[in-house]
Amino acid sequence: MNTLTGALCTLLLILTGLPPASASIALGRTRVIFNAEKQSQSFEIKNNSDKPYLVQAWLEDEQEKKITEPFIVLPPVQRIEGNTVSQIKIQGLPQLKKLPQVRESVFYLNIREIPPKSDKPNQVQLAVQSRIKVFYRPDFLKLDRMSDDIPGAENIKISCSSGELIAHNPTPYYFTLTADQISPVMIAPNSDMKLALRGTKGVSNLFYITDYGKMKEINNLLKEQKKCGD
């Protein structure tokens, strides 16, 4: 199948609304917390397919630009046999010392799986790519391993400004907020961000995602926010 035919097939999949291809390579976590005291962080990836896959891995900065420092990913390319487990390591470099030491920094780990060549004619193959956040956490922000609470969550505020809901994060941590009425959003340390409502004029509850991917409720919402947009 030539390139034009493959592109047309891919376009047809999009136009017909078919669901996206599911990943065969499963990551062992939903996010990575890189504590400053560590030299590296490793985690498992598993090939849930019966066939071998090539896996590419790389890091991007907050502006989604590919980087080679202050971290490197090892190995950048590997082959994983069917139904087997391998590892990916994020190795810290000396340039980590140049990162802010009074707040977290965020990066993005990209994992792209490349399927084996099909022996069937006219077969459309898609390279599925996964992406998770990598948070660099300075020493003084290190959390108790026995606790799943992020300090300062209770200080996150929701207010109404010009008919829009605004979340304010006064902490040195990144917070990913979610609720039934809003689209998930990540708020940087010491910053504000508008919340995109889903067909409602108020938020009845608000959750943040912990280091272990769990959701915890924040119970300090302002009553005034329910009237936002009226």
Side-chain angles (χ1 to χ4, degrees):
M1 182 171 59
N2 58 38
T3 303
L4 177 59
T5 303
L8 290 175
C9 289
T10 302
L11 179 60
L12 180 61
L13 289 173
I14 297 173
L15 294 177
T16 53
L18 292 177
S22 58
S24 295
I25 303 299
L27 280 63
R29 59 184 67 186
T30 59
R31 57 186 53 210
V32 176
I33 307 299
F34 197 105
N35 289 307
E37 64 178 11
K38 300 289 186 180
Q39 298 297 318
S40 65
Q41 282 277 8
S42 298
F43 61 94
E44 290 186 348
I45 56 174
K46 182 180 180 181
N47 182 1
N48 290 318
S49 168
D50 294 331
K51 300 178 181 179
Y53 272 74
L54 285 181
V55 175
Q56 292 180 317
W58 70 94
L59 277 163
E60 294 176 350
D61 62 16
E62 195 169 4
Q63 288 73 45
E64 301 183 4
K65 296 181 180 178
K66 190 173 182 180
I67 60 172
T68 56
E69 59 178 53
F71 301 101
I72 55 172
V73 183
L74 301 171
V77 180
Q78 63 177 302
R79 174 188 168 107
I80 305 179
E81 300 299 327
N83 297 308
T84 60
V85 174
S86 184
Q87 282 196 335
I88 284 181
K89 176 191 286 188
I90 300 177
Q91 179 70 49
L93 301 176
Q95 290 85 351
L96 282 175
K97 296 180 180 180
K98 297 180 181 180
L99 293 177
Q101 299 300 309
V102 295
R103 63 170 176 83
E104 287 186 331
S105 300
V106 67
F107 301 86
Y108 296 94
L109 174 65
N110 295 271
I111 306 293
R112 178 181 295 162
E113 60 180 56
I114 303 173
K117 184 177 180 180
S118 175
D119 55 1
K120 298 179 181 180
N122 300 323
Q123 182 79 21
V124 176
Q125 291 181 287
L126 301 177
V128 179
Q129 184 170 319
S130 302
R131 193 169 185 244
I132 62 174
K133 300 181 183 75
V134 178
F135 296 100
Y136 173 76
R137 186 169 289 169
D139 281 334
F140 91 101
L141 295 179
K142 180 181 176 182
L143 303 185
D144 184 350
R145 293 183 60 185
M146 302 302 293
S147 173
D148 199 20
D149 294 323
I150 299 180
E154 68 280 1
N155 295 322
I156 292 177
K157 304 296 182 183
I158 303 295
S159 61
C160 182
S161 177
S162 302
E164 295 181 328
L165 283 179
I166 306 296
H168 174 60
N169 173 20
T171 79
Y173 297 92
Y174 279 88
F175 275 91
T176 298
L177 305 179
T178 185
D180 292 338
Q181 303 92 344
I182 66 170
S183 301
V185 60
M186 184 176 70
I187 305 181
N190 303 304
S191 66
D192 298 340
M193 183 167 287
K194 181 174 70 175
L195 301 181
L197 289 170
R198 293 173 174 163
T200 182
K201 294 182 179 180
V203 176
S204 59
N205 54 15
L206 188 68
F207 300 86
Y208 73 90
I209 300 177
T210 70
D211 288 353
Y212 298 98
K214 299 179 181 179
M215 293 197 305
K216 287 204 170 182
E217 189 170 6
I218 302 173
N219 296 309
N220 65 336
L221 298 183
L222 301 178
K223 294 181 179 179
E224 293 78 9
Q225 58 87 22
K226 293 184 178 180
K227 300 179 181 179
C228 194
D230 288 343

